[in-house]
Each structure stands twice: as C-alpha cells, then as structure tokens.
Amino acid sequence: MVKMTDTILIEKGISRIEWADREMPVLQQIRKRFEKQKPFKDKVFAACMHITTETANLVRTLKAGGAEIFLCASNPLSTQDDVVYALQRHYDINVFAKHGESNKSYYQNIQNVLESKPHFVLDDGCDLVNYLYTKRPDLIDNIIGGTEETTTGVQRLKAMERDGMLKYPIIAVNDALTKHMFDNQYGTGQSTLDGIIRATNTLLAGKVFVVAGYGWCGKGLAQKAKGMGCKVIVTEIDPIRALQAHMDGFEVMPMISACKKADFIVTVTGNKNVIDLYHFVEMKDGVIIANSGHFDVEIDLNTLKNISLKVKEVRDGLEEYTLTNENSSKLEWVPNNKRILVLGKGRLVNLACAEGHPASVMDMSFANQVLAAEFLSNTTLENKIYSVPEEIDKQVAFYKLQSLNLKIDRLSLEQRNYINSWQEGT
Ligand code: NAI
C-alpha cells in the first residue's frame, strides 16, 4: 500500500524532476527523437549514477528510446529519496538506492542492478564496472558497451585498459569538451560553494579559501570563490597547472603552508590523502574542510578520528572534530582542543550537502551520455576506451546554443580554404 508520506515524496520528486527538465532542452530534443526511433528497443541498461533530478531525466530519455533501466547510486550520500520514489512509482524505472545507505547496501544494490543481465553499463566513478569484473565476470559476455561519466572513473578504466582487462568498448563521456569544460568547471564551481553555504550558512567574503587541485573542477571552484570575495590559495602537484593558477591571479603554495592560513579548504584532485595528519595539526581552530572530488579518500578522516577526543554533528552535514594528544604518546605534538569542521563526511560536498550540479550543465553531460550509448549500439568497436566522437560533441554544443537562442558566425568558403592551406603568408 502507498503511504501518505510516500505520496508526498513521489509528488515532490516529480515536480523537481520536471523543474530540472525545463533546463535540459538538449536532452528533451533527443528524447523526442528517441520516442519515435526507439534506438534501444529490447536493450537493458545498468546505470550507477548520482540519483538526482537530472539523472532522472537521463534515464527517462533512455526509456523513451525503448531501454529497460536498472539504476543504483554512485555514492551513498548523493541519493535524493524523492527522486527514487518518483522514478520507481511514476516513471516505472527500476531503482535500488536510499540516501545514507550503508556500504554493504550500496554494493548489494550494485549487485541487484547487475542481476538484470545488462547490454549496456553506464557508470560514474567505475564502482559498477569494478564489481562486474571482480564479482560477476559471468555477465560480461552479454555487454555491448559502456560509458563513464567522471574523471576518476576514466582514470580507473585507463588503468584497466593498460592491464589488458577491458572486455567491451567504453566511451569516456568525461573527455567530451561539452562535458568537462562545463560540468566539471562551472557545475562543480557553483555547486561546491552551494554545498558549503547550505551546510554552514557562513559568510565567504574576506575568508581565505584553499583549493587543492587546479584541474577542470578546481579552476571553476577557485573562480567562483574569488567571485564571492574570498582570498583564494591554490595547491597543486603539476607545474603547468600551478603556473596557470598563478597567472590567473591566485596565490600558489604547498598545502603545508596553505593549511595554516585557511578558513576553508576544499580538495578536488581525484587523489588520496591530500589532507592528512601533518595538515590537521597546522590548521587554524574552526577551519572548515570539504572534498568535492569523486571519492571520500582525499581527506584522511581515519587519522582525524584517531587524533580526536570527540566528534559532534553541529549542523546537518557538518561534523566538528576536537583534537586531542591523549590517544598516543607519539602524538604529543597534536594540539589539544583545536576544532576542525568536516562537511558531508568527506564525500563530494556538492552532492552530500546540496543537490549537485545545476540542470543546465547536466543537460550537456547527459546528452553526451545518451548519444554515446546510441553510438555504441550501432557501431562495432574494439575493446578499448574511446572519446565521444567529435561530431556528437559539436552537435551537443550546437543544440545548446540553439536552445539559448545564441547565433554564431559561419566560415566563408575563402576562410575555410585559408585555414586549410599552407601557401598563403604575409
Ligand atoms: P583534473 O585531472 O582536471 O584535475 C585534478 C588536478 O588535481 C590536477 O591538476 C592534478 O595535478 C591535481 N592534483 C593531483 N594530486 C594532487 C595533490 N596531491 N595536491 C594538489 N593537487 C593535486 O580532474 P577534474 O576533472 O578537475 O576532477 C577532479 C575530481 O573531481 C575527480 O575525482 C573527478 O571525478 C571529480 N569530479 C567531481 C565532480 C563533482 O560533482 N563534485 C564533477 C566532476 C568531477
């Protein structure tokens, strides 16, 4: 029986999904075409994605193309339960996820999704693929192809490719320009600040804001934090990215120096233990730290727990660790009573403490997802990682410009000939 609270959740989910859809005109256009052409007729899709309103519109589009979808979460804290209810009860999609689920239930749901014996696998971070290859290799032969949404997932897949492990072709959606230039940069920039602000309601203006990693996400975040009036410091390990941060006007220094000055520190590197014991002991009392990279490995929370006397949830999604040196005689240099505040349990803060990226950028990311899936379904490829074909990338940008009513110039014949020739000089 559907309970009253369920009905409220379903209606809330539908309303929010429809709201996001208004900002996803490219996906809408593709959905209309899929409704007629049914490119995925009789095909089963297993998807492991953040369960947000935008993802709901992605799976609606695949369903319109004739696919049967089985969806689970790509992070235990990013699932929006109203979206789960709406997808299950209103849009007739098979969803296995609950906000705040345990690690055990997270992997059980990945297994549930794989039981569908999918033809296509859509992943965000490579957890589904990892489970498939290590626990259910018997299902691999049935798979035609897959896509991967994020930088960290693509890195893991490239490692699998190097080890000769790939057994079906995969399209790295993250590599499309219309994905990482917009989703990673503008999406992560805005939604990371959104997560910090919603969870803390702290003024950003005038504060020292440290961004670890000046990749696509870090650039966006540094720009937005500067726009809010923060004094931004960037930490990097790549000399070229560090130089770019410097010339973009940001202070650049190692984390061990930056952490002493910070009011906020956000990691967006895709790397491990970027903030560790040596940084915790140097931080100011009351510093707020967060991660916006894909996995919760960027801040060494186990060590933070070990050097803390107590951990208290001071607001939703905001935990205060109070340091102590009493846990070990070897740690007498840990200052007593210093407070470090951690957002969203170190999981990506824009999804754990807010709603993730705005729909308008996810429109392009997910248009790439569905067009890449269509490409996989009608092209024979080797078992490698491929970029999104340039025509698809350009088509997504073209549709987006069209939806924004923006017009651009066209090459004249003379110009086309000129840029394709070598004879003409000064
Ligand atoms: P990227 O590869 O463009 O940038 C990562 C940067 O971090 C590089 O410049 C690298 O040199 C730097 N880095 C690596 N280790 C470091 C360390 N120890 N200290 C300082 N810098 C270090 O990657 P991108 O696209 O910016 O993605 C970063 C992470 O964010 C990935 O895990 C990705 O999956 C995730 N992501 C998160 C999103 C979100 O919604 N929060 C959206 C898109 C991506």
Side-chain angles (χ1 to χ4, degrees):
M1 204 178 75
V2 180
K3 289 184 283 188
M4 192 57 193
T5 45
D6 295 358
T7 314
I8 294 167
L9 271 182
I10 295 166
E11 278 166 13
K12 184 177 169 204
I14 297 168
S15 170
R16 291 178 60 244
I17 291 166
E18 287 175 354
W19 171 251
D21 203 41
R22 291 192 203 184
E23 290 277 307
M24 304 182 90
V26 181
L27 207 55
Q28 276 179 34
Q29 194 172 335
I30 299 168
R31 196 181 307 140
K32 279 197 194 120
R33 176 168 69 77
F34 280 5
E35 267 160 15
K36 290 195 198 108
Q37 298 177 344
K38 302 281 175 210
F40 307 124
K41 190 167 178 295
D42 300 329
K43 293 289 181 288
V44 176
F45 279 66
C48 177
M49 321 277 293
H50 298 297
I51 302 183
T52 62
T53 53
E54 294 77 22
T55 299
N57 289 317
L58 162 73
V59 294
R60 285 177 64 202
T61 308
L62 294 169
K63 186 166 186 258
E68 193 182 357
I69 327 281
F70 292 79
L71 174 66
C72 62
S74 59
N75 185 303
L77 284 191
S78 62
T79 301
Q80 298 169 6
D81 286 339
D82 56 334
V83 174
V84 174
Y85 274 67
L87 282 174
Q88 288 170 335
R89 313 269 179 90
H90 182 74
Y91 295 103
D92 199 19
I93 307 267
N94 309 291
V95 189
F96 302 85
K98 188 166 175 37
H99 180 84
E101 65 188 323
S102 65
N103 234 35
K104 191 170 165 217
S105 144
Y106 175 80
Y107 280 104
Q108 178 61 51
N109 284 331
I110 287 185
Q111 179 170 326
N112 293 341
V113 157
L114 285 173
E115 296 299 345
S116 66
K117 302 193 174 63
H119 300 106
F120 292 95
V121 168
L122 273 50
D123 212 349
D124 186 343
C126 197
D127 274 351
L128 183 65
V129 170
N130 186 278
Y131 195 94
L132 172 72
Y133 276 73
T134 52
K135 307 271 187 338
R136 293 302 307 270
D138 55 302
L139 297 172
I140 294 176
D141 276 355
N142 197 44
I143 296 174
I144 298 169
T147 61
E148 170 54 54
E149 170 76 3
T150 197
T151 317
T152 287
V154 173
Q155 275 166 2
R156 294 175 85 188
L157 288 165
K158 285 191 174 152
M160 284 177 76
E161 189 184 38
R162 274 197 304 275
D163 290 347
M165 294 279 292
L166 280 191
K167 298 210 167 73
Y168 57 82
I170 295 193
I171 299 196
V173 170
N174 187 68
D175 289 356
L177 295 176
T178 47
K179 199 281 184 182
H180 64 254
M181 274 178 70
F182 302 92
D183 167 324
N184 300 29
Q185 187 168 206
Y186 303 103
T188 312
Q190 177 171 318
S191 61
T192 299
L193 289 191
D194 184 13
I196 294 170
I197 293 167
R198 284 196 208 195
T200 64
N201 195 22
T202 303
L203 186 74
L204 292 177
K207 299 283 170 61
V208 176
F209 194 105
V210 175
V211 177
Y214 202 66
W216 286 102
C217 295
K219 268 185 201 102
L221 178 57
Q223 281 161 9
K224 299 292 173 237
K226 185 178 173 183
M228 293 290 285
C230 295
K231 295 171 203 144
V232 178
I233 301 174
V234 170
T235 73
E236 251 298 342
I237 46 109
D238 180 310
I240 299 171
R241 295 264 170 97
L243 203 52
Q244 190 181 24
H246 167 71
M247 295 210 187
D248 283 345
F250 299 113
E251 262 196 271
V252 177
M253 62 184 77
M255 181 58 86
I256 197 68
S257 311
C259 69
K260 294 176 190 162
K261 301 173 179 240
D263 298 304
F264 295 90
I265 309 179
V266 182
T267 55
V268 255
T269 67
N271 213 341
K272 208 177 165 176
N273 295 342
V274 176
I275 301 181
D276 65 12
L277 174 64
Y278 299 99
H279 305 121
F280 296 136
V281 298
E282 295 294 344
M283 289 174 188
K284 291 199 289 197
D285 180 41
V287 63
I288 295 174
I289 64 176
N291 164 49
S292 208
H294 188 80
F295 285 118
D296 59 343
V297 295
E298 304 212 12
I299 303 171
D300 184 358
L301 282 182
N302 282 335
T303 296
L304 183 58
K305 229 169 262 161
N306 288 341
I307 58 164
S308 293
L309 185 64
K310 55 180 181 182
V311 184
K312 182 174 144 201
E313 184 167 41
V314 290
R315 283 171 64 99
D316 287 348
L318 184 64
E319 286 180 327
E320 183 177 78
Y321 289 72
T322 306
L323 303 200
T324 178
N325 56 28
E326 283 162 18
N327 292 349
S328 159
S329 56
K330 291 194 196 118
L331 293 173
E332 66 219 358
W333 42 284
V334 170
N336 271 326
N337 298 323
K338 185 197 285 189
R339 292 161 302 174
I340 295 178
L341 292 119
V342 180
L343 281 162
K345 296 186 184 294
R347 296 202 183 264
L348 62 192
V349 63
N350 59 334
L351 282 142
C353 298
E355 293 170 66
H357 293 4
S360 183
V361 286
M362 295 317 292
D363 188 26
M364 290 189 278
S365 305
F366 288 165
N368 276 294
Q369 279 281 0
V370 297
L371 294 176
E374 187 183 31
F375 177 76
L376 279 168
S377 72
N378 53 31
T379 321
T380 306
L381 297 166
E382 289 176 55
N383 298 340
K384 289 185 183 162
I385 298 172
Y386 293 87
S387 295
V388 172
E390 198 185 337
E391 314 84 77
I392 292 183
D393 211 350
K394 286 256 167 75
Q395 192 186 3
V396 171
F398 177 75
Y399 285 161
K400 191 70 182 175
L401 279 173
Q402 222 177 24
S403 73
L404 295 165
N405 208 12
L406 293 173
K407 300 201 170 33
I408 58 170
D409 289 322
R410 279 170 186 270
L411 281 177
S412 66
L413 185 60
E414 183 193 26
Q415 289 170 337
R416 189 182 303 277
N417 288 340
Y418 178 72
I419 57 174
N420 286 310
S421 68
W422 55 270
Q423 288 91 345
E424 234 179 295
T426 309

